[in-house]
Amino acid sequence: MSVTSARAHPNIALVKYWGKSDESANIPATPSVSITLSDLVTETTVETAERDSLVMNGEETADTKIQSFLDLMRTQFDVPPLTIVTDNNFPTGAGLASSASGFAALITALNVHCDLSLDRNQTSIWARRGSASAARSIYGGYVSLSGPEWYARQILTAEHWPLTVVIAIVSEGKKAVSSTRGMRISRETSSFYNAWVASSVDDYRNALEAIDARDFDALARIAESSCLKMHGVMLTSYPTLQYWLEPTLACMNAVRNLREEDIDVFFTIDAGPQVKAVCRSEHTRAVVRALESVPGVVRTLTTGLGQGAE
Ligand code: 2P0
């Protein structure tokens, strides 16, 4: 039987998505802007089988999110039972956007394997229905995701502004609260939630302008502000969503100290404790050295910006 393979890279949001305006269609409440990473990769193979099964990083496993996604696809397309084999070359479910690259790779493989004839926009929409951040991993470089269509668009290729991302791994453990659940808790309980959603519109517009102008300082300000506002919403949710660990804070301070030394770098943090430091390529060594000397940092990963799913 035929086998189809696809690869996709995770992306890191600079203007964050946190909250849904429609849970059943998985429509974000906030527009977002991201960068797709080159050196972190998910490789997924699909093969027609007698029954559905999933092998993730070498282990047969059940994943309700993937199963629900297949069930949803089968309401519209002829998708046979499948064996799905998927591997990440980076920690899974630890705030490194494995669901973004995972669903982007899966829909890209399914599109070919099942002759779905989805164009890029439709592929991005289906990826979004699996996991909204996955819509952005369909494209490489700098990517936006906004309404009313809620498919992703490429803003700029990686080659046009080749920044580097240094990821400080603080913990390889899986996150305690999934993003989907965390977003629901935030919407229902944080008194900052409505202000967060309202402010994301300006952040989004300003980030598009900063990327268009390749204005590092402007992008740094917007990205750190969006990150800190999102974590403000998380921290003021009940039960509180505190994804940071002590080394997370120490890394944020290390990045601020680097900026005092005229190193062009800013941080961003997702639904996990890892700190992603985005810098100009010529400053990579200084950023790696500074983050690796922070107590509690297990290791760093360095990556450039990469391509969309293929
Ligand atoms: C983002 N995150 O924009 C934000 C920042 C986490 C923090 O997108 O519920 O796994 O599957 O649509 O895409 C993580 O959320 O959530 C995420 P679902 P997803 O990258």
Side-chain angles (χ1 to χ4, degrees):
M1 277 197 236
S2 74
V3 175
T4 311
S5 297
R7 56 161 45 205
H9 303 280
N11 68 77
I12 302 293
L14 303 183
V15 173
K16 304 293 190 188
Y17 146 57
W18 191 256
K20 301 174 197 274
S21 66
D22 179 341
E23 269 203 32
S24 64
N26 207 29
I27 296 185
T30 63
S32 56
V33 173
S34 62
I35 44 179
T36 303
L37 308 179
S38 58
D39 289 36
L40 279 62
V41 61
T42 298
E43 289 186 324
T44 298
T45 297
V46 298
E47 183 175 10
T48 303
E50 305 263 302
R51 62 177 180 89
D52 284 338
S53 66
L54 173 68
V55 180
M56 193 181 277
N57 299 322
E59 275 184 38
E60 182 148 6
T61 175
D63 185 300
T64 50
K65 217 165 162 179
I66 293 175
Q67 195 57 51
S68 306
F69 180 70
L70 291 176
D71 293 345
L72 182 66
M73 293 218 71
R74 287 179 178 131
T75 63
Q76 294 202 25
F77 301 105
D78 188 14
V79 175
L82 296 166
T83 297
I84 300 171
V85 178
T86 185
D87 291 294
N88 297 326
N89 74 345
F90 58 94
T92 301
L96 286 176
S98 53
S99 72
S101 51
F103 277 103
L106 179 60
I107 187 63
T108 300
L110 289 177
N111 193 23
V112 173
H113 191 76
C114 307
D115 291 321
L116 305 182
S117 304
L118 302 176
D119 64 19
R120 276 261 171 141
N121 292 344
Q122 292 167 320
T123 306
S124 180
I125 286 173
W126 275 101
R128 192 204 76 226
R129 298 184 83 168
S131 196
S133 54
R136 303 185 307 236
S137 277
I138 297 300
Y139 291 99
Y142 298 75
V143 182
S144 66
L145 175 62
S146 68
E149 302 90 355
W150 296 107
Y151 52 73
R153 295 181 175 84
Q154 187 177 55
I155 307 165
L156 204 64
T157 65
E159 293 75 22
H160 274 94
W161 200 15
L163 298 179
T164 298
V165 182
V166 180
I167 303 171
I169 306 279
V170 161
S171 164
E172 311 226 16
K174 296 216 173 182
K175 58 185 150 196
V177 180
S178 74
S179 293
T180 305
R181 197 163 144 252
M183 289 181 204
R184 190 180 308 141
I185 293 171
S186 289
R187 180 172 51 76
E188 290 173 350
T189 66
S190 172
S191 53
F192 292 178
Y193 183 79
N194 290 339
W196 153 251
V197 171
S199 80
S200 69
V201 178
D202 279 348
D203 287 344
Y204 175 76
R205 198 184 48 235
N206 294 336
L208 294 185
E209 277 180 26
I211 290 167
D212 194 48
R214 296 172 189 61
D215 184 338
F216 190 92
D217 291 345
L219 187 60
R221 253 193 331 273
I222 298 159
E224 287 194 358
S225 168
S226 175
C227 164
L228 292 170
K229 282 184 282 188
M230 178 185 75
H231 284 275
V233 170
M234 291 165 162
L235 288 164
T236 50
S237 299
Y238 185 83
T240 190
L241 301 167
Q242 185 178 309
Y243 291 104
W244 298 351
L245 300 174
E246 280 174 38
T248 312
L249 276 163
C251 287
M252 292 157 71
N253 287 330
V255 167
R256 292 187 180 112
N257 290 341
L258 283 167
R259 263 208 306 271
E260 296 283 302
E261 297 165 22
D262 287 332
I263 305 282
D264 287 328
V265 59
F266 63 86
F267 64 77
T268 189
I269 305 157
D270 294 294
Q274 335 303 350
V275 175
K276 293 101 179 190
V278 182
C279 65
R280 289 196 202 272
S281 304
E282 60 266 34
H283 292 150
T284 305
R285 278 166 56 95
V287 173
V288 169
R289 222 178 8 241
L291 291 177
E292 287 193 343
S293 69
V294 171
V297 170
V298 180
R299 62 193 171 109
T300 60
L301 301 172
T302 298
T303 171
L305 307 191
Q307 307 302 314
E310 59 191 3

